[in-house]
Amino acid sequence: MDTTVDQADFFKTLEEKSDGGTLRGDYSKCDARYVVTQDCSSYTGEQHALWRKLYQRQARLLPGRACELFIESLSKLDAADGIPHLERTNEALHRATGWRLVAVPGLIPDLTFFEHLSERRFPVTVWLREPQEFDYIVEPDIFHDFFGHVPLLFNAVFADHLQQFGKGGLKALRLDALKYLARLYWYTVEFGLIQGPQGLRAYGAGILSSGGEIAYCLSSAKPRRIMLDAERTMRTLYKIDSYQETYFVIRDYQHLFDVTAPDFTPIYERIRNKEALPADSLLPGELNMPPNRESA
Ligand code: HBI
Ligand code: FE
């Protein structure tokens, strides 16, 4: 089965899912912006234990694979002992970069999601996966959202970049170009790689919260690794239910910020008339960067 999906179809599915009420979270108590109160007393001892197992497995995989910044920030988060209390993290996070975490029941509409980002609020899902989903979940849960996304929100450049994304998302919605921006989001915020002094490292939350892809994306000879370019990335389809076939690489966070900051309107107009690129394309003249040698 070819599982490459076009972003538009993916988001239509999400919309249908939320209309049909089949999303996993409890949406009955959220406010107009889909914010809920995180009820910390509702997490069971088993759930806290599952969090610790997820955290320990993932933390062990980080050295030599996650970017330094992520590792440093994670250790400051103090979230190893159980499902974190978002309000507690907020004190330190707001002091560091002016961001706040808001609790949400699960996936929320694109518009609301980008509104939050544009106002420096990061939506974090409150439910935790079941034990049988240890290695893989379809929708983001609190482990993906918190462990994967929150550490880099402590970095000023990355934090500014994500706010830009929020503003860009609102604009892309107005221009009927969300699928292009969503691809850029996917290939950077979720599955981005960065060039470090000792080789490639991961900074994307989808990779950093994944037990398998974190080694695969750096060490496997199979996927392509290409320098990030806004237009190229926005034209590229992606996989939602397997490891990525292409990763886009940044030189540093400033590179990411520079790619994300411009007005994308001319790019949207240009690529609207071009065909999307398959997830495994390598165009003439493109440099495919070699994998890291496994050191562990
Ligand atoms: N909702 N809770 C949640 N988390 C997301 O990452 C998310 C979302 N709604 C929409 C959305 N992401 C997309 O628009 C982006 O991934 C592009
Ligand atoms: Fe995510």
Side-chain angles (χ1 to χ4, degrees):
M1 188 178 67
D2 185 359
T3 52
T4 303
V5 288
D6 194 272
Q7 255 300 0
D9 298 331
F10 181 42
F11 287 109
K12 209 161 97 240
T13 312
L14 285 186
E15 259 166 43
E16 281 162 9
K17 271 175 122 185
S18 44
D19 288 342
T22 52
L23 284 167
R24 276 178 73 162
D26 175 6
Y27 289 78
S28 66
K29 293 190 187 74
C30 52
D31 71 11
R33 306 185 96 183
Y34 286 80
V35 173
V36 294
T37 311
Q38 183 192 23
D39 177 10
C40 290
S41 67
S42 73
Y43 299 120
T44 64
E46 285 83 32
Q47 287 177 315
H48 284 296
L50 179 62
W51 172 279
R52 284 194 294 275
K53 265 175 71 182
L54 283 161
Y55 189 104
Q56 281 161 16
R57 186 263 302 262
Q58 210 57 30
R60 201 163 33 78
L61 293 168
L62 298 179
R65 301 197 180 92
C67 61
E68 270 317 302
L69 199 61
F70 182 89
I71 297 179
E72 283 164 25
S73 306
L74 184 68
S75 62
K76 280 186 268 175
L77 274 183
D78 194 21
D81 293 335
I83 301 171
H85 194 324
L86 303 183
E87 275 309 322
R88 262 183 46 199
T89 307
N90 272 340
E91 293 167 26
L93 180 59
H94 194 260
R95 232 180 300 126
T97 56
W99 275 73
R100 284 184 198 287
L101 309 177
V102 289
V104 294
L107 284 171
I108 59 176
D110 296 332
L111 176 65
T112 315
F113 180 73
F114 289 124
E115 271 173 358
H116 281 304
L117 298 189
S118 72
E119 291 164 28
R120 291 174 100 83
R121 285 188 303 274
F122 192 80
V124 176
T125 302
V126 289
W127 58 266
L128 181 68
R129 69 193 68 187
E130 300 291 324
Q132 66 272 18
E133 300 169 297
F134 194 76
D135 287 310
Y136 182 74
I137 44 159
V138 181
E139 293 167 33
D141 71 339
I142 188 168
F143 185 74
H144 164 79
D145 282 343
F146 191 94
F147 188 99
H149 286 283
V150 175
L152 286 184
L153 286 174
F154 280 82
N155 171 257
V157 180
F158 187 86
D160 286 350
H161 147 263
L162 205 62
Q163 180 181 26
Q164 283 297 327
F165 240 117
K167 293 180 181 173
L170 297 176
K171 190 158 144 193
L173 277 168
R174 288 195 300 272
L175 296 170
D176 191 25
L178 186 68
K179 68 177 178 184
Y180 306 125
L181 195 80
R183 288 178 192 147
L184 187 63
Y185 186 90
W186 185 267
Y187 279 120
T188 56
V189 178
E190 296 291 352
F191 290 96
L193 301 185
I194 183 166
Q195 253 175 351
Q198 281 138 338
L200 295 170
R201 297 289 185 268
Y203 72 90
I207 298 173
L208 292 166
S209 61
S210 160
E213 192 153 3
I214 189 167
Y216 175 87
C217 70
L218 298 169
S219 312
S220 168
K222 231 178 121 196
R224 280 130 296 269
R225 299 173 185 84
I226 309 171
M227 209 37 104
L228 180 70
D229 171 83
E231 181 164 338
R232 165 65 157 95
T233 307
M234 286 182 182
R235 287 181 63 197
T236 310
L237 300 171
Y238 58 74
K239 302 275 171 170
I240 57 164
D241 58 359
S242 67
Y243 295 159
Q244 299 306 303
E245 296 186 327
T246 298
Y247 299 94
F248 288 95
V249 182
I250 57 170
R251 286 183 296 274
D252 48 39
Y253 292 108
Q254 191 59 43
H255 177 199
L256 178 63
F257 191 61
D258 293 343
V259 165
T260 322
D263 175 13
F264 291 137
T265 314
I267 301 188
Y268 295 152
E269 289 323 306
R270 235 177 2 254
I271 61 180
R272 221 181 272 286
N273 306 310
K274 291 186 186 174
E275 285 211 26
L277 299 168
D280 61 353
S281 2
L282 189 66
L283 303 182
E286 268 177 356
L287 181 70
N288 187 14
M289 302 163 73
N292 288 346
R293 252 172 295 151
E294 265 290 65
S295 47

